């Protein structure tokens, strides 16, 4: 596709449920990032993939959050036992340049609401 | 880890005037400093970036300056236009020289720029 695609665009779930958010990066982009953006805040780094491996997962808030990228393309962010504080827009970005040293191309985000 | 502070949180300027947004960072190893523009309900998009081997970079009405000694960098927009209204985010990373450090960009909290007609 022409840009980074994220699904779903909106997800409403109940506290305690499991959620999966999908990101389809720009073809050929090795680097893939997940960020979380709360209202009125800047994007908060969660995890960075270089190819299939998580090169840096230091931003994941706790062990309820997990992300995979099994074939080095599509990535899935998984949140277990969701809490109301998990409500935010989850942004995925991809880049041709690894290491956070080049332009990030963001998707439109997945807005998660935990009731 | 890296900490990026951004000021002001809101900036209102008359159309045609200049706007300046300032950021400071804490990690002296950071060497890549991009600026992103986010319109309401849209995705962030890169507008300009600078690397630590230069002190200033310009692109038409937009310029960024970097002072590595003081660990601060600024965005300058001249001749502001209504379409410049948006939230602007600065960011910093160690880039390709992370050497095992964090590889993600650390963003500031954003500046809501309002262009008054």
């Amino acid at each position: 596709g022409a840009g980074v695609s994220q699904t779903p665009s909106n997800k409403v779930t109940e506290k305690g449920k499991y959620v999966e958010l999908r990101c389809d990066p720009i073809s050929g982009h090795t680097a893939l990032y997940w960020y979380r953006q709360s209202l009125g805040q800047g994007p908060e780094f969660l995890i960075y993939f270089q190819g299939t491996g998580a090169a840096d997962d230091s931003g994941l808030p706790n062990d309820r959050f997990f992300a995979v990228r099994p074939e080095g393309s599509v990535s899935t962010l998984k949140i277990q036992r969701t809490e109301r504080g998990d409500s935010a827009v989850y942004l995925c970005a991809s880049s041709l340049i690894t290491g956070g040293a080049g332009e990030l191309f963001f998707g439109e985000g997945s807005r998660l609401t935990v009731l | 880890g890296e900490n990026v502070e951004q000021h002001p949180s809101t900036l209102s300027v008359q159309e045609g005037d200049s706007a300046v947004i300032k950021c400071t960072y804490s990690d002296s190893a950071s060497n890549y400093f991009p600026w992103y523009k986010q319109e309401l309900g849209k995705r962030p998009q890169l507008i300009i970036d600078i690397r630590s081997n230069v002190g200033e970079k310009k692109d038409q009405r937009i310029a960024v300056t970097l002072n590595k000694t003081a660990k601060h960098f600024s965005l300058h927009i001249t001749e502001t236009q209504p379409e410049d209204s948006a939230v602007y985010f600065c960011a910093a990373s160690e880039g390709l020289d992370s050497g095992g450090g964090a590889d993600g960009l650390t963003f500031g909290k954003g500046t809501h720029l309002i262009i008054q007609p």
Side-chain angles (χ1 to χ4, degrees):
Chain A
V4 177
S5 175
Q6 290 188 247
T7 55
S9 55
N10 276 287
K11 176 70 176 178
V12 180
T13 191
E14 293 179 343
K15 180 175 178 292
K17 298 290 187 183
Y18 170 80
V19 166
E20 286 191 355
L21 306 175
R22 176 191 165 105
C23 173
D24 198 343
I26 293 173
S27 178
H29 281 194
T30 304
L32 184 146
Y33 304 79
W34 282 99
Y35 282 84
R36 176 168 71 174
Q37 188 173 27
S38 300
L39 193 63
Q41 301 293 315
E44 173 194 3
F45 171 73
L46 296 176
I47 187 169
Y48 157 58
F49 286 90
Q50 186 171 319
T52 60
D56 183 0
D57 64 357
S58 61
L60 294 177
N62 51 59
D63 61 6
R64 295 187 297 106
F65 288 75
F66 189 70
V68 295
R69 194 186 185 197
E71 297 177 359
S73 178
V74 171
S75 176
T76 305
L77 178 66
K78 307 180 180 191
I79 311 173
Q80 298 178 320
R81 305 183 303 279
T82 51
E83 299 177 357
R84 292 194 180 88
D86 298 336
S87 296
V89 175
Y90 288 81
L91 292 167
C92 176
S94 69
S95 179
L96 202 52
I97 300 174
T98 58
E103 180 175 3
L104 298 187
F105 294 85
F106 283 91
E108 294 283 1
S110 291
R111 181 177 298 279
L112 175 64
T113 303
V114 182
L115 302 176
Chain B
E2 176 67 279
N3 181 47
V4 177
E5 299 282 343
Q6 183 171 348
H7 301 280
S9 57
T10 303
L11 177 60
S12 181
V13 301
Q14 289 294 124
E15 183 178 348
D17 287 352
S18 295
V20 180
I21 302 170
K22 299 181 179 182
C23 288
T24 60
Y25 61 99
S26 62
D27 186 353
S28 57
S30 288
N31 57 21
Y32 175 62
F33 308 92
W35 287 86
Y36 282 79
K37 175 183 180 182
Q38 187 174 31
E39 297 177 4
L40 189 63
K42 302 290 186 183
R43 71 190 79 189
Q45 291 188 296
L46 180 73
I47 54 171
I48 194 167
D49 57 13
I50 191 168
R51 301 182 191 275
S52 60
N53 56 343
V54 297
E56 183 176 0
K57 183 177 178 181
K58 286 185 179 180
D59 183 3
Q60 300 182 347
R61 298 187 295 110
I62 295 172
V64 57
T65 58
L66 171 65
N67 183 328
K68 282 222 75 178
T69 303
K71 294 206 281 263
H72 68 70
F73 55 113
S74 301
L75 177 72
H76 304 252
I77 306 174
T78 58
E79 301 171 22
T80 52
Q81 300 170 3
E83 54 265 36
D84 295 331
S85 293
V87 179
Y88 290 80
F89 295 98
C90 62
S93 84
E94 293 181 24
L96 292 172
D97 298 328
S98 64
D103 291 317
L105 280 174
T106 300
F107 283 84
K109 290 189 175 183
T111 296
H112 185 192
L113 177 62
I114 302 165
I115 307 301
Q116 303 278 8

